[in-house]
Amino acid sequence: MDPLEGITETGRRREFEILTAVQGAGPAPKAFWIEEDGGCFGRPAVIMAFAPGVTNPSVAAQKVSGLGTILGERLRLSLRGQFLDNLVGLHALDWRKADLPSFSAPDGDPKQAARWSLNYWRQLWWLDQLEPVPIMTYAELWMDDNLPDCDDLVLTHGDYRTGNYLFDEATGKINAMLDWELARIGDYHEDIAWVIQRLFATFEDGVFRASDLYGHEEFILAYEAASGRKVNRKTLHFYEVMCAWKMYIICAASGMSAARAQHNHQDVLLTFTGAVGPLATFDLCRLLKQGARA
């Protein structure tokens, strides 16, 4: 059910449509009913099936779900293949045959997928920013000048990572992928860049693991092998910059704005996650200085 204001503003109709479309393509909660005008619950809502499982191991330190989650070797080995296969399956789904009347395809020109995504988050930044942040402006201008082409549109999840799936702790089986409200038709590089963000990674004994499941390069190569798609490193770099940029917007602009206005039942959590802002801007500086990997 919608709060008065969320960490991101999304539509329940789109969420209902995407959950219906992906049934059978991978584990996702079944959506039974949508109530758009708030007549029954006071706010727009979707009724979904219950999905069992947890997002964190019971022995894990209490953290915001997905931020530095350490799964442990047993669960890591059980979950990683499923995690990859579910993303590949989503990107293989033929969105042209799906019933998605609330979704538009960015097929006007090759750069439209990147432009639409940039403009969506740009508008949220302009609306919700609490203070000027020079690196955010620099990154925005850099992205305007470096929009990549996309000739292979897929259905993207938009928030694909550890913390957004429910798994059975005993068997290591993923029962449901969660948080589909940011799904869109776009470039698969955007989902890959979200997976390998450092903010969702763990560093254990000097070893980087994206979503605590794969090494950076290991995940890219595994995705290429499983999907048959080629990951363009220059395009991926663009979306890595965008993902760090939009992470700042989510946590330190939109989330903080909702918390400050007391429009969300998780005001304390949103204020806490505002501390992600400096980490996101540090990552922006690193990525813009580093440039695309070979």
Side-chain angles (χ1 to χ4, degrees):
M1 185 168 63
D2 281 5
L4 287 175
E5 186 178 354
I7 194 167
T8 53
E9 295 301 310
T10 57
R12 299 290 68 75
R13 166 59 62 181
R14 285 172 63 91
E15 185 176 14
F16 181 84
E17 288 176 10
I18 196 70
L19 284 171
T20 302
V22 300
Q23 294 301 313
K30 183 174 178 59
F32 292 117
W33 184 66
I34 180 172
E35 199 274 291
E36 293 186 85
D37 61 11
C40 294
F41 299 105
R43 301 291 296 167
V46 175
I47 301 296
M48 306 178 199
F50 176 81
V54 297
T55 57
N56 286 315
S58 56
V59 296
Q62 293 302 308
K63 300 178 180 179
V64 177
S65 182
L67 295 182
T69 298
I70 295 179
L71 297 164
E73 188 67 16
R74 180 184 67 84
L75 284 172
R76 189 177 300 121
L77 292 174
S78 298
L79 295 169
R80 53 190 261 135
Q82 299 172 73
F83 179 85
L84 173 65
D85 290 345
N86 290 338
L87 182 62
V88 170
L90 172 64
H91 291 173
L93 190 150
D94 189 351
W95 54 268
R96 294 171 180 83
K97 295 180 180 178
D99 185 19
L100 296 169
S102 299
F103 288 72
S104 297
D107 55 6
D109 66 72
K111 298 186 186 302
Q112 195 173 39
R115 186 182 300 112
W116 277 12
S117 189
L118 174 60
N119 285 343
Y120 173 85
W121 293 102
R122 188 199 320 259
Q123 184 66 21
L124 290 178
W125 171 238
W126 289 353
L127 288 171
D128 293 335
Q129 63 177 293
L130 301 177
E131 60 182 356
V133 182
I135 188 62
M136 292 291 286
T137 302
Y138 180 85
E140 183 180 338
L141 294 172
W142 181 90
M143 286 185 285
D144 273 326
D145 290 339
N146 290 275
L147 293 170
D149 290 351
C150 176
D151 58 4
D152 185 10
L153 294 169
V154 304
L155 197 56
T156 64
H157 181 278
D159 196 6
Y160 199 84
R161 58 180 174 83
T162 290
N164 273 349
Y165 55 84
L166 292 171
F167 62 92
D168 183 288
E169 195 167 3
T171 65
K173 181 179 183 297
I174 293 178
N175 293 321
M177 300 302 305
L178 307 176
D179 286 5
W180 291 84
E181 61 269 20
L182 289 172
R184 58 188 291 268
I185 298 167
D187 192 325
Y188 58 88
H189 290 86
E190 189 166 1
D191 269 345
I192 297 170
W194 195 253
V195 169
I196 60 178
Q197 268 204 98
R198 289 196 171 207
L199 288 167
F200 300 132
T202 55
F203 291 85
E204 196 172 22
D205 297 327
V207 176
F208 169 95
R209 283 193 293 266
S211 280
D212 199 45
L213 294 170
Y214 287 90
H216 184 285
E217 188 69 13
E218 182 186 20
F219 181 75
I220 295 169
L221 295 176
Y223 177 87
E224 288 183 326
S227 68
R229 290 185 160 93
K230 182 67 177 175
V231 176
N232 182 300
R233 301 312 174 95
K234 189 174 180 180
T235 300
L236 181 63
H237 177 67
F238 171 88
Y239 281 109
E240 285 188 89
V241 170
M242 178 183 282
C243 285
W245 181 73
K246 71 184 183 183
M247 177 58 75
Y248 185 94
I249 296 168
I250 290 169
C251 293
S254 296
M256 286 295 290
S257 177
R260 187 173 66 170
Q262 298 182 346
H263 282 173
N264 192 288
H265 62 291
Q266 292 185 307
D267 293 346
V268 173
L269 176 61
L270 294 187
T271 302
F272 174 78
T273 57
V276 166
L279 300 176
T281 53
F282 178 84
D283 226 22
L284 267 180
C285 292
R286 177 185 64 83
L287 288 164
L288 289 166
K289 182 178 180 180
Q290 167 188 296
R293 295 171 185 251

